[in-house]
Amino acid sequence: MSTGQAEEVIDLLDAAAREDGVAAVGEQVVLRLRPGARGSDHLLARSGETLVGYLHLDLFGDAADNKVAELAVHPGHRRRGVGTALVRAAAERAEPLRIWAHGGNPGAPALAAKLGYRKVRELLRLRRPLDDALPEATLPDGVVLRPFEPGRDEAAVVYVNHRAFSWHPEQGAMSIEDVREKEHERWFDANGFLLAVDGDGRLLGFHWTKAHTPDLGEVYVVGVDPDAQGGGLGRALTLAGLAHLRRSGIGEVMLYVESDNAAALAVYERLGFTRWDSDAQYAK
């Protein structure tokens, strides 16, 4: 994709986000718009010279080898068949195909049904304010927290992440290169990337926080090595990250969790999180 095309796509995504109140594509798609990014097919729909629709096709796929698509149609060109044409074009290029619809988009179920797709996965977005008291983060005996150190900790984080999320379609595939790439993002803050280590310095778990805006933060990833689970480390890491975000002046925090992950939902609900909206994934 050329620089000019990428700029057109960003403008279209911004227009869709302003209209819908939620980003049309995930963070990884925006990263793939950069020069030299690999693993993507970019489908552009035009009306004359005007870009009216965009679909990103992830050719790397998820852990089950599904190819994954995300798309956006400019608000001024919706209900004219642009989304239908993009999905059909993607289906001709990749099989099996899964398609994300973000933020409970009301048009997604109808488009999916029209093309023979059904909802197969739901990712909930939860949130809570940070203006009230948080429980204290109590770490297991012998465990201490320290900030992430770029150039030192990438491999250990990826190893624990893989063990913690071996079941997850996307998160378990995080690589050292993915971590290093995000270290160059404007939002990256090593002090908000909290590592739990034992007396020998071995990484047991981590909480990677993210600040979207001065007012909104995110529980970006909480990962605990399976050998260290069951002792309250995940809860302690979550609380420590929330405390960091609050000290940074952030007033609200959000997170994503799979709708069928009952254990995680119970933990987050006990910590005061409530449902905000959701993303749905569709497949044939």
Side-chain angles (χ1 to χ4, degrees):
M1 170 171 285
S2 70
T3 300
Q5 289 173 326
E7 291 174 350
E8 286 184 286
V9 170
I10 291 296
D11 288 343
L12 185 150
L13 296 176
D14 287 345
R18 288 193 298 270
E19 175 72 15
D20 302 330
V22 63
V25 301
E27 173 189 64
Q28 193 62 31
V29 173
V30 178
L31 294 176
R32 295 276 188 90
L33 293 172
R34 294 177 175 176
R38 299 176 297 108
S40 298
D41 196 356
H42 304 280
L43 307 187
L44 308 179
R46 295 187 181 275
S47 176
E49 297 297 318
T50 302
L51 183 68
V52 298
Y54 168 71
L55 184 144
H56 176 268
L57 185 59
D58 185 347
L59 301 177
F60 288 148
D62 61 20
D65 202 31
N66 298 297
K67 303 304 182 282
V68 181
E70 299 176 61
L71 70 150
V73 177
H74 191 282
H77 296 268
R78 292 177 176 176
R79 292 174 291 279
R80 302 180 187 178
V82 176
T84 298
L86 285 168
V87 172
R88 285 177 171 160
E92 291 176 356
R93 288 167 167 77
E95 187 70 30
L97 177 67
R98 291 198 170 192
I99 305 169
W100 278 112
H102 295 281
N105 187 316
L111 176 60
K114 174 183 176 182
L115 297 173
Y117 289 78
R118 63 183 179 87
K119 184 164 69 174
V120 294
R121 183 180 168 198
E122 186 175 26
L123 193 60
L124 304 180
R125 188 159 60 148
L126 312 182
R127 65 181 177 181
R128 64 153 288 167
L130 290 177
D131 56 359
D132 53 353
L134 290 169
E136 185 177 351
T138 304
L139 293 164
D141 290 343
V143 178
V144 297
L145 291 182
R146 67 169 177 85
F148 176 89
E149 294 185 24
R152 170 187 176 187
D153 293 321
E154 290 86 354
V157 165
V158 168
Y159 175 74
V160 169
N161 181 84
H162 178 71
R163 284 175 53 79
F165 294 102
S166 59
W167 54 273
H168 197 277
E170 297 95 17
Q171 185 61 35
M174 184 175 72
S175 67
I176 292 174
E177 290 72 23
D178 292 332
V179 177
R180 288 175 176 161
E181 185 174 50
K182 291 175 183 177
E183 289 172 16
H184 298 290
E185 291 297 298
R186 286 183 295 177
W187 57 263
F188 179 79
D189 175 16
N191 291 321
F193 197 160
L194 305 177
L195 307 187
V197 299
D198 64 13
D200 296 323
R202 182 172 68 95
L203 182 64
L204 304 178
F206 62 92
H207 183 174
W208 192 350
T209 67
K210 178 179 182 179
H212 287 269
T213 70
D215 299 317
L216 178 65
E218 180 181 349
V219 177
Y220 191 50
V221 190
V222 176
V224 177
D225 191 295
D227 291 342
Q229 292 176 4
L233 180 57
R235 183 177 188 273
L237 278 166
T238 301
L239 288 170
L242 296 181
H244 167 79
L245 291 170
R246 188 172 65 177
R247 287 193 301 270
S248 301
I250 288 174
E252 191 170 32
V253 63
M254 51 82 66
L255 59 84
Y256 291 95
V257 61
E258 299 286 343
S259 63
D260 59 356
N261 191 339
L265 277 169
V267 169
Y268 291 132
E269 287 170 355
R270 286 196 294 269
L271 290 175
F273 284 89
T274 58
R275 179 166 173 166
W276 186 359
D277 60 17
S278 65
D279 299 340
Q281 192 178 75
Y282 294 86
K284 287 208 171 182

